[in-house]
């Protein structure tokens, strides 16, 4: 009986530990369901199936639809109209029979009867852009909707269709069975919007000085909606914010524009010799071998001469693109054009920039280098860039992406002068939009539903690329900057948002249309979350491997958020459900502090705790197993023992005291800590995070410890850590390098750093 008690008692002492952890026990007033922050995400995630596996990879029955397009497009520059004749061939690779097809008519967002303006609440903005005020309140509004002239079978028979805002349902003559294809044609035109006046992600900019327009054209043709195992038809309306969901396909596009225009687009130019001059061909051949600097295909001088042309003749540019989800093009007689070759893996890719003279000198200086760096960094972090070119087009106030081509802002003033803000803004937006080739153009997530899946992942890699760019091109950095000043990515930059008014914050896992502070929600916070995951939680090696695995698994496929979350865990053995839950499903923030530090001493005398335990189990103190007793500095026991001389406050007696427990060999290596601390961390913030602690010692040295987030698994409010040290600790700092986005750092150090009050500061300033 006694042996049993003895055993039980020692187990009890061991499990309770040297320091009492009573305060680690949560207090609960009533029953509760499992709301532990480390609970797995079974309730939030859908059940894995044959389409999508539990590991986050495409399953054995994964399928995706295909939409191939053949289009003849004509740009009417005089009237700013565009018309098209397109044939769509739709392949039903799903196991389902389809009675109808859904086609997206995004331009209907700017139709006269568009419902987009009707869902904007909030009344008058106190200040608004004069141009948008005028077009909203002082005109009848721009008529930019699609004019659908025909929808026909390839044999010329009309197909019944119905248009609901930005979605068009096309009835099939007979149901489309799994494995079957269906071809049909659509004839359409619309008025092109002035994107400066009527906004929008595409359109034209008008240059009154020379009477020209520069066009950046996208969402310009009726596009197939996505049909998949997750949504069925993704036919959620385009209200103007949530971007697009598109299937992959092959595009054969002929674009007819004025003969003196310069044009670039998604796809391979298949009639280069017809549309290039001999001089342009020569320069192009040179650019293909120029790896260190861009070669001008069209010079500024030539572009300025062309501005005066206004040719009545036309030219047709023919393009072919394989396995892309969309098609865009830019055309104008104002364009200067440069190109540079980039080695990406075993392939040469062309980095391309196209800009009116108004973009110079900034654009000729940095655009193509920014494109090249993006291809290099993203290819290293994900997969080798699969296309043959990446184009950055300058369009005022635009930042928008399409396969192989994107529009970017960043314009000097009329004298060619530009601020740091304009320069960095331009480089950053180019990196961002070119980066979108990877997410969502190739890793083809559903932008209509999940803005963060492309914007967040892309903004994270934008940050990594910006840092690379700063190292590769120090000449691009302004005086006083030793690295690229990224605005999104560093943990500290998201603090004002995450620590802000909870009434205006939505979880990342919210459809873009329904979020407040869109930029912070869908770009800044997920990008920062991934950066913190990489730098602070998982470490670069584990994170990068898993991130690359996700990119490869879903390259040219359609992933969901769960596919990303699951893959990151599957490839790293890192349980991240707590991280996804906190950062992506809630609006909680990080706030961890040091609450209290107590110094402990080892005593040879049984302390109160031991005496009480022995009494409770009916044992004599002499029956106790060899135990080390801890007493808190300043406690009654402590004062008494200090008086009695029973404190083992020096390493030698302590060593001797425990010697019996060690073999001869072990005794050689025995450590002799002299200082014992009970450090209590508290967590006013809702997010569980690793505790990063810097311990500074009396001799001026310091040591940093990372306690994994799981330290919070049993108590979400506060935890205590026992610390044994050879050296006296004089300072403890939580998150010393500001890498966790802790919203309140006033509680991050011990002893508390006295915060100077504003009044004190004021007094000091007055004194000066
Ligand atoms: Zn973006």
């Amino acid at each position: 009986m006694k042996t049993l008690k003895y055993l039980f008692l020692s187990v009890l002492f061991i499990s309770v530990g040297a320091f009492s952890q009573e305060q680690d026990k949560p207090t609960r007033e009533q029953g509760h369901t499992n709301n532990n922050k480390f609970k797995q995400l079974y309730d939030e995630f859908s059940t894995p199936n044959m389409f999508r596996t539990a590991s986050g990879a495409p399953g054995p029955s994964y399928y995706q639809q295909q939409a191939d397009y053949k289009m003849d497009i004509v740009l009417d520059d005089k009237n700013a109209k565009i018309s098209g004749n397109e044939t769509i061939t739709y392949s039903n690779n799903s196991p389902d029979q389809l009675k109808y097809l859904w086609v997206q008519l995004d331009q209907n967002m700017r139709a006269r009867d568009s419902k987009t303006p009707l869902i904007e609440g909030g009344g008058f903005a106190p200040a608004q852009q004069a141009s948008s005020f005028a077009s909203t309140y002082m005109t009848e509004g721009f008529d930019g909707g699609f004019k659908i002239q025909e929808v026909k079978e390839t044999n010329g028979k009309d197909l019944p269709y119905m248009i609901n805002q930005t979605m068009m349902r096309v009835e099939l003559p007979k149901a489309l069975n799994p494995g079957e294809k269906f071809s049909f044609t659509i004839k359409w035109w619309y008025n092109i919007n002035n994107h400066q006046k009527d906004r929008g992600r595409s359109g034209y900019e008008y240059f009154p000085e020379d009477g020209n327009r520069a066009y950046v054209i996208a969402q310009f043709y009726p596009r197939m909606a996505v049909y998949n195992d997750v949504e069925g038809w993704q036919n959620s309306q385009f209200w103007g914010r949530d971007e697009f969901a598109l299937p992959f396909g092959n595009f054969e596009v002929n674009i007819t524009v004025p003969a003196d225009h310069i044009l670039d687009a998604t796809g391979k130019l298949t009639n280069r010799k017809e549309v290039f001059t001999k001089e342009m061909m020569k320069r192009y051949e040179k650019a293909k071998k120029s790896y260190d600097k861009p070669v001008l295909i069209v010079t500024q001088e030539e572009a300025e001469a062309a501005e005066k042309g206004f040719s009545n003749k036309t030219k047709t540019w023919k393009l072919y693109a394989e396995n892309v989800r969309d098609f865009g093009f830019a055309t104008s007689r104002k364009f200067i054009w440069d190109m540079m070759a980039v080695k990406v893996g075993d392939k040469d890719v062309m980095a391309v920039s196209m800009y009116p003279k108004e973009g110079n000198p900034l654009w000729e200086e940095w655009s193509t280098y920014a494109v090249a760096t993006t291809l290099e960094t993203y290819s290293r972090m994900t997969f080798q860039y699969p296309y043959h070119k990446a184009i950055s087009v300058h369009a005022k106030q635009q930042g928008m992406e399409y396969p192989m081509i994107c529009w970017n802002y960043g314009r000097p003033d009329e004298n060619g002068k530009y601020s740091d803000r304009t320069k960095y803004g331009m480089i950053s937006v180019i990196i961002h939009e070119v980066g979108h080739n990877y997410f969502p153009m190739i890793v083809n997530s559903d932008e209509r539903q999940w803005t963060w899946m492309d914007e967040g992942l892309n903004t994270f890699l934008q940050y990594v690329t910006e840092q690379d760019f700063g190292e590769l091109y120090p000449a691009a950095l302004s005086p006083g900057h030793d690295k690229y000043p990224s605005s999104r990515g560093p943990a500290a930059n998201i603090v004002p948002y995450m620590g802000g008014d909870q009434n205006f914050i939505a979880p990342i896992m919210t459809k873009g249309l329904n979020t407040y502070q869109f930029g912070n929600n869908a770009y800044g916070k997920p990008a920062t979350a991934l950066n913190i995951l990489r730098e602070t939680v998982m470490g670069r090696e584990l994170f990068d491997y898993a991130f690359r695995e996700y990119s490869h698994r879903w390259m040219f496929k359609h992933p969901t958020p769960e596919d990303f979350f699951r893959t990151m865990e599957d490839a790293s053995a890192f349980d991240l459900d707590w991280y996804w839950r906190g950062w992506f499903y809630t609006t909680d923030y990080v706030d961890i502090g040091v609450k209290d530090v107590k110094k402990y001493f080892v005593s040879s005398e049984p302390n109160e705790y031991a005496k009480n335990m022995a009494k409770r189990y009916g044992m004599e103190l002499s029956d106790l197993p060899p135990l080390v007793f801890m007493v808190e500095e300043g406690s009654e026991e402590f004062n008494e023992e200090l008086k009695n001389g029973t404190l083992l406050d020096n390493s030698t007696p302590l060593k001797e005291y425990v010697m019996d427990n060690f073999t001869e060999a072990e005794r050689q290596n025995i450590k002799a800590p002299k200082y014992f601390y009970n450090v209590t961390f508290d967590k006013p913030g809702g997010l569980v995070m690793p505790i990063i602690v810097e311990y500074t010692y009396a001799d001026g040295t310091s040591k940093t410890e990372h306690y994994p987030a799981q330290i919070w698994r049993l108590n979400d409010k506060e935890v205590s850590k026992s610390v044994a040290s050879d050296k006296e600790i004089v300072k403890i700092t939580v998150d010393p390098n500001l890498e966790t986005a802790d919203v309140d750092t006033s509680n991050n150090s011990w002893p508390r750093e006295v915060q100077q009050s504003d009044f004190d500061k004021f007094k000091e300033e007055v004194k000066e």
Side-chain angles (χ1 to χ4, degrees):
M1 188 65 192
K2 191 171 169 188
T3 331
L4 203 63
K5 266 188 198 161
Y6 186 88
L7 251 177
F8 179 66
L9 192 60
S10 45
V11 167
L12 192 81
F13 273 105
I14 290 159
S15 65
V16 169
F19 293 127
S20 158
Q21 293 193 351
E22 292 293 315
Q23 73 265 46
D24 281 5
K25 281 192 215 129
T27 50
R28 295 202 195 276
E29 274 122 35
Q30 45 191 313
H32 61 95
T33 52
N34 180 359
N35 52 14
N36 189 291
K37 287 181 177 162
F38 294 87
K39 181 184 153 190
Q40 296 295 288
L41 285 163
Y42 292 126
D43 298 344
E44 288 78 6
F45 283 6
S46 56
T47 309
N49 54 44
M50 292 295 274
F51 302 116
R52 287 162 205 272
T53 69
S55 67
S61 301
Y62 176 82
Y63 70 87
Q64 63 194 29
Q65 308 292 67
Q66 184 171 333
D68 300 323
Y69 299 80
K70 281 188 181 164
M71 300 194 279
D72 287 304
I73 307 297
V74 178
L75 175 81
D76 175 353
D77 179 36
K78 283 206 176 72
N79 300 302
K81 279 182 183 174
I82 184 170
S83 57
N85 223 328
E86 73 184 271
T87 303
I88 303 176
T89 300
Y90 188 72
S91 305
N92 182 13
N93 301 322
S94 83
D96 312 327
Q97 199 183 54
L98 303 174
K99 249 182 78 186
Y100 44 78
L101 306 178
W102 281 102
V103 177
Q104 310 183 66
L105 304 178
D106 312 272
Q107 293 299 331
N108 281 358
M109 196 216 102
R110 37 191 82 258
R112 279 247 169 81
D113 64 353
S114 167
K115 290 185 176 156
T116 294
L118 305 180
I119 65 162
E120 293 311 323
F124 280 109
Q128 45 191 308
Q129 281 200 358
S131 57
S132 82
F133 180 88
S135 63
T136 311
Y137 302 111
M138 297 166 69
T139 70
E140 249 181 84
F142 175 70
D143 178 15
F146 268 116
K147 317 291 184 244
I148 300 292
Q149 295 165 287
E150 294 176 4
V151 182
K152 284 182 186 293
E153 290 184 55
T154 46
N155 62 15
K157 266 177 54 189
D158 282 338
L159 279 169
Y161 64 89
M162 199 277 300
I163 295 173
N164 172 12
Q165 294 178 236
T166 63
M167 289 289 165
M168 175 166 76
R169 190 184 61 220
V170 177
E171 300 293 326
L172 294 169
K174 69 174 190 46
L176 191 61
N177 288 314
E180 287 183 350
K181 285 181 190 200
F182 179 71
S183 293
F184 63 111
T185 63
I186 307 176
K187 207 175 154 193
W188 53 266
W189 72 273
Y190 69 87
N191 294 311
I192 304 171
N193 56 302
N194 175 334
H195 62 68
Q196 290 299 288
K197 222 172 79 207
D198 300 306
R199 304 174 57 103
R201 290 172 170 80
S202 64
Y204 65 80
E205 178 185 355
Y206 180 67
F207 295 83
E209 303 82 8
D210 51 63
N212 278 284
R213 294 187 175 97
Y215 296 90
V216 286
I217 301 295
Q219 298 87 241
F220 65 97
Y221 58 97
R223 306 186 291 178
M224 284 306 305
V226 165
Y227 181 87
N228 68 15
D229 59 293
V230 182
E231 296 279 342
W233 282 107
Q234 175 48 285
N235 55 8
S236 167
Q237 296 289 337
F238 179 49
W239 291 97
R241 181 187 263 184
D242 301 329
E243 289 177 352
F244 312 108
L246 299 155
F248 288 105
N250 304 325
F251 287 68
E252 221 179 295
V253 186
N254 304 324
I255 311 169
T256 301
V257 295
D260 49 4
H261 267 214
I262 292 299
L263 179 148
D264 211 344
T266 305
K268 283 207 156 92
L269 183 59
T270 57
N271 65 335
R272 191 176 302 276
K273 287 202 173 118
E274 282 169 51
V275 291
F276 271 37
T277 62
K278 284 217 174 74
E279 187 60 37
M280 284 165 71
M281 280 307 292
K282 250 180 21 205
R283 293 168 181 172
Y284 174 69
E285 290 305 322
K286 198 177 149 202
K288 285 207 281 192
K289 288 175 217 101
S290 179
Y291 296 93
D292 58 340
K293 60 175 187 295
V295 172
L296 284 160
I297 310 297
V298 176
T299 66
Q300 178 156 340
E301 206 181 2
E302 288 158 352
E304 285 185 38
E307 282 180 353
K308 303 178 182 92
F310 299 99
S311 173
N312 283 320
K313 298 205 184 84
T314 61
K315 230 182 221 180
T316 300
W317 299 64
K318 295 180 178 169
L319 293 123
Y320 180 70
E322 248 171 38
N323 215 7
V324 289
R325 56 166 251 174
D326 203 357
F327 190 98
F329 68 94
T331 182
S332 179
R333 53 179 74 81
K334 286 179 69 71
F335 284 145
I336 302 161
W337 206 3
D338 74 43
M339 302 183 188
M340 178 173 92
V342 192
K343 270 257 176 280
V344 180
D346 54 11
K347 253 183 48 183
D348 275 0
V349 178
M350 200 70 107
V352 182
S353 298
M354 214 160 74
Y355 41 96
K357 66 174 188 296
E358 284 76 4
N360 270 340
L362 194 48
W363 276 71
E364 64 189 11
E365 283 167 356
W366 295 118
S367 173
T368 298
Y369 293 113
V371 175
T373 307
T374 308
L375 296 175
E376 286 160 356
T377 301
Y378 276 66
S379 293
R380 183 184 80 231
M381 295 293 289
T382 60
F383 44 76
Q384 188 181 319
Y385 187 68
Y387 300 134
H388 71 293
K389 66 177 175 189
I391 313 155
S392 160
V393 181
H394 177 39
K396 200 177 183 185
Q397 290 165 350
Q398 288 285 343
M400 191 57 201
E401 72 279 8
Y402 302 93
M404 304 178 215
I405 191 166
C406 56
W407 335 139
N408 301 300
Y409 52 77
R411 185 169 295 180
D413 66 19
E414 290 97 73
N415 305 316
K417 295 229 154 50
Y418 52 84
S419 62
D420 277 6
R421 187 189 157 92
T422 302
K423 176 186 66 184
Y424 288 129
M426 174 247 196
I427 295 167
S428 288
V429 74
I430 293 173
I431 292 171
H432 181 96
E433 306 305 343
V434 173
H436 270 308
N437 273 297
Y438 295 80
F439 310 95
M441 296 304 149
I442 296 166
V443 179
N444 188 352
S445 58
D446 179 346
E447 298 176 277
R448 187 59 50 85
Q449 197 62 42
W450 303 118
T451 308
W452 73 267
M453 278 203 80
D454 65 295
E455 297 301 354
L457 269 60
N458 185 45
T459 304
F460 157 66
L461 287 185
Q462 175 195 338
Y463 167 69
V464 178
T465 308
E466 284 169 356
Q467 296 307 308
D468 286 354
F469 185 85
E471 275 176 34
L472 281 167
Y473 303 105
L477 303 179
S478 303
H481 287 166
D482 58 349
K483 57 182 205 159
Y484 194 95
S486 294
S487 62
R488 284 173 173 153
N493 295 2
I494 201 68
V495 164
Y497 168 68
M498 290 180 74
D501 185 346
Q502 284 285 329
N503 288 314
F504 299 101
I505 305 177
I508 293 173
M509 284 294 289
T510 305
K511 183 180 160 77
L513 185 68
N514 309 333
T515 59
Y516 310 93
Q517 307 190 60
F518 190 54
N520 282 320
N521 176 285
Y523 296 64
K525 186 179 164 187
T528 312
L530 295 176
N531 192 35
I532 293 174
L533 198 54
R534 179 176 190 237
E535 300 290 352
T536 301
V537 179
M538 295 172 77
R540 287 190 182 182
E541 200 184 347
L542 283 176
F543 179 94
D544 290 355
Y545 181 94
F547 193 82
R548 217 174 286 125
E549 179 66 14
Y550 167 73
S551 308
H552 278 269
R553 281 179 177 182
W554 293 96
M555 184 182 184
F556 292 119
K557 293 192 173 70
H558 299 273
T560 65
E562 291 154 57
D563 297 323
F564 175 68
F565 296 147
R566 286 175 160 147
T567 296
M568 290 302 288
E569 300 190 4
D570 185 64
S572 68
F574 221 107
D575 179 4
L576 293 168
D577 281 28
W578 60 272
Y579 196 82
W580 308 134
R581 180 189 297 285
W583 280 82
F584 289 77
Y585 287 83
T586 79
T587 62
D588 284 341
Y589 52 80
V590 180
D591 185 12
I592 296 173
V594 207
K595 188 186 176 191
D596 190 27
V597 179
K598 287 198 172 88
K599 219 170 180 178
Y600 274 77
F601 287 80
V602 176
S603 155
S604 57
E605 289 299 300
N607 57 8
E608 282 306 310
Y609 179 82
K611 285 180 200 155
N612 288 340
M613 278 299 167
K615 200 165 151 201
R616 191 158 150 204
Y617 293 100
M619 298 174 72
E620 295 299 323
L621 277 171
S622 55
D623 293 337
L624 290 176
L627 292 168
V628 173
F629 305 105
M630 308 297 296
V631 295
E632 184 191 329
E633 185 181 47
S635 66
E636 237 173 76
E637 274 186 304
F638 171 86
N639 292 336
E640 197 156 314
E641 293 211 28
L642 197 62
K643 221 165 39 196
N644 301 340
T646 48
L647 286 175
L648 303 175
D649 57 352
N650 149 333
S651 63
T652 313
L654 173 64
K655 220 162 151 182
E656 280 165 9
Y657 181 68
V658 293
M659 271 310 177
D660 290 354
N661 297 316
F662 296 96
T663 64
E664 196 56 50
E666 283 166 341
R667 280 181 211 181
Q668 299 305 313
N669 296 320
I670 199 161
K671 288 198 293 185
K674 286 185 191 166
Y675 301 93
F676 300 91
Y677 302 92
N678 202 19
V679 184
T680 303
F681 302 98
D682 62 348
K683 192 171 74 61
L687 285 184
V688 284
M689 283 294 275
I691 311 177
I692 300 156
V693 195
E694 184 182 63
Y695 294 105
T696 306
Y697 302 106
D699 64 1
T701 61
S702 64
K703 180 179 157 197
T704 303
E705 287 281 3
H706 285 240
Y707 304 118
Q710 280 78 1
I711 195 170
W712 301 106
R713 74 202 182 282
L714 299 177
N715 189 329
D716 192 42
K717 294 285 165 236
E718 62 177 64
V719 293
S720 295
K721 212 49 217 164
S722 56
V723 179
S725 163
D726 306 349
K727 301 188 266 191
E728 188 185 0
I729 294 173
V730 293
K731 190 175 175 203
I732 298 174
T733 314
V734 170
D735 193 13
N737 300 318
L738 305 180
E739 56 187 289
T740 67
D742 192 316
V743 304
D744 176 12
T745 51
S746 70
N747 58 354
N748 283 26
S749 45
W750 172 87
R752 274 282 183 279
E753 269 163 16
V754 182
Q755 306 255 322
Q756 205 183 22
S757 77
D758 285 346
F759 183 66
D760 289 338
K761 271 189 230 159
F762 172 73
K763 275 197 302 191
E764 260 176 36
E765 274 165 30
V766 169
K767 260 191 269 169
E768 283 164 13

